[in-house]
């Protein structure tokens, strides 16, 4: 008789890990939904800055849910807690200090792989301000948000990367690292299209906590 192994039993449905399901979604479906998102918000605003703010707000909700999903599905990151004025992170039952570079690395690698299928090319620290970091060398096609959006000449400064900046802000804020996150075009010599840089400027409270942790 051929023995059949028993599947692992879970006493509580909440203990059962979430299925990862399909790792990709239809590019055409994303293009359609994002195009509709941009067009709808365009009818609700009077200027480019307000349009970018609305896209950032939409991305913020996505970022908060991405962090929650990774926490419950992959168990790579859990909710931040403050204990004795120190930031602690529970990771598979163990505690370790959470630091600024740790959360940046998490966004730069794990979150980026979930969103775009690969880690971001470059993470840099600002040279003028201690509280600024940049995710750089992002081509327009790579971010996907530009691939199917045609920007009129009278909206030449409009940056669809505001949606991605909102996602990053949502992840950071939900993890206990409040920051202002913006998307900026950076011209590249010899190339017609500029690249996008995601600029992260952390709140003062984050820097004070980092200083306490030494």
């Amino acid at each position: 008789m051929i023995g059949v192994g028993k599947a692992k039993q879970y006493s509580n449905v909440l203990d059962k890990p979430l299925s990862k399901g399909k790792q990709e979604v239809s590019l055409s479906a994303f293009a359609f939904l994002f195009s509709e998102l941009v067009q709808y918000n365009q009818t609700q605003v009077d200027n480019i800055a307000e349009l970018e703010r609305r896209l950032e707000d939409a991305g913020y909700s996505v970022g908060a849910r991405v962090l929650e999903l990774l926490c419950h599905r992959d168990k790579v990151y859990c909710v931040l807690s403050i204990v004795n004025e120190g930031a602690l992170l529970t990771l598979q039952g163990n505690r370790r200090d959470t630091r600024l570079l740790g959360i940046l690395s998490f966004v730069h690698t794990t979150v980026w792989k979930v969103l775009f299928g690969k880690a971001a090319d470059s993470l840099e620290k600002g040279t003028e301000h201690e509280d600024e970091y940049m995710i750089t060398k992002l081509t327009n096609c790579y971010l996907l948000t530009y691939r199917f959006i045609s920007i009129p000449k009278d909206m030449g400064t409009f940056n669809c990367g505001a949606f991605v900046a909102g996602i990053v802000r949502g992840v950071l804020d939900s993890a206990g690292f409040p920051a202002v996150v913006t998307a900026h075009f950076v011209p590249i010599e010899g190339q017609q299209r500029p690249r996008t840089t995601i600029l992260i400027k952390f709140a003062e409270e984050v820097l004070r906590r980092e200083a306490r942790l030494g």
Side-chain angles (χ1 to χ4, degrees):
M1 180 181 293
I2 300 177
V4 179
K6 292 184 178 180
K8 185 176 180 180
Q9 299 296 319
Y10 294 93
S11 59
N12 191 322
V13 68
L14 297 178
D15 295 330
K16 186 176 180 180
L18 294 177
S19 172
K20 291 187 177 182
K22 296 181 64 176
Q23 297 298 300
E24 298 179 355
V25 298
S26 168
L27 183 59
S28 59
F30 169 79
F32 173 75
L33 290 174
F34 187 70
S35 175
E36 290 297 309
L37 175 67
V38 173
Q39 291 182 67
Y40 169 76
N41 284 289
Q42 189 177 355
T43 64
Q44 306 298 309
V45 301
D46 298 322
N47 55 71
I48 295 175
E50 182 65 15
L51 176 57
E52 290 180 346
R53 187 194 65 78
R54 291 177 71 99
L55 288 180
E56 182 185 333
D57 289 343
Y60 182 93
S61 299
V62 175
R65 285 163 174 76
V66 165
L67 179 64
E68 183 179 8
L69 176 64
L70 289 174
C71 174
H72 291 292
R73 187 184 69 186
D74 297 333
K75 295 184 179 180
V76 297
Y77 198 87
C78 291
V79 178
L80 185 74
S81 60
I82 305 299
V83 179
N84 296 328
E85 296 187 350
L88 296 178
L89 175 67
T90 301
L91 181 61
Q92 294 182 344
N94 298 320
R95 285 181 174 179
R96 66 178 177 86
D97 291 338
T98 55
R99 307 301 295 269
L100 202 60
L101 292 181
I103 188 65
L104 286 170
S105 177
F106 174 74
V107 171
H108 172 262
T109 55
T110 304
V111 173
W112 229 254
K113 286 179 181 179
V114 170
L115 296 176
F116 304 110
K118 59 177 291 187
D121 292 333
S122 178
L123 174 64
E124 302 176 6
K125 190 178 188 304
T127 56
E128 297 181 359
H129 303 282
E130 290 293 324
D131 58 351
E132 290 184 351
Y133 292 82
M134 296 169 288
I135 300 176
T136 61
K137 298 181 180 179
L138 304 176
T139 61
N140 290 354
C141 289
Y142 173 63
L143 276 182
L144 297 181
T145 51
Y146 302 93
R147 189 174 295 184
F148 303 101
I149 300 294
S150 298
I151 301 176
K153 291 184 178 180
D154 60 338
M155 295 181 62
T157 60
F158 171 59
N159 194 326
C160 292
F163 180 73
V164 179
I167 294 177
V168 173
R169 185 169 69 90
V171 171
L172 292 174
D173 198 32
S174 299
F177 291 81
V180 175
V181 185
T182 50
H184 302 273
F185 284 132
V186 178
I188 303 298
E189 185 177 356
Q191 296 186 15
Q192 182 179 2
R193 293 185 176 182
R195 287 182 175 177
T196 294
T197 290
I198 303 297
L199 177 64
I200 303 170
K201 186 178 181 65
F202 285 101
E204 186 177 348
E205 62 190 83
V206 175
L207 300 182
R208 289 199 300 266
R209 185 175 68 207
E210 184 74 8
R212 285 199 303 268
L213 294 174

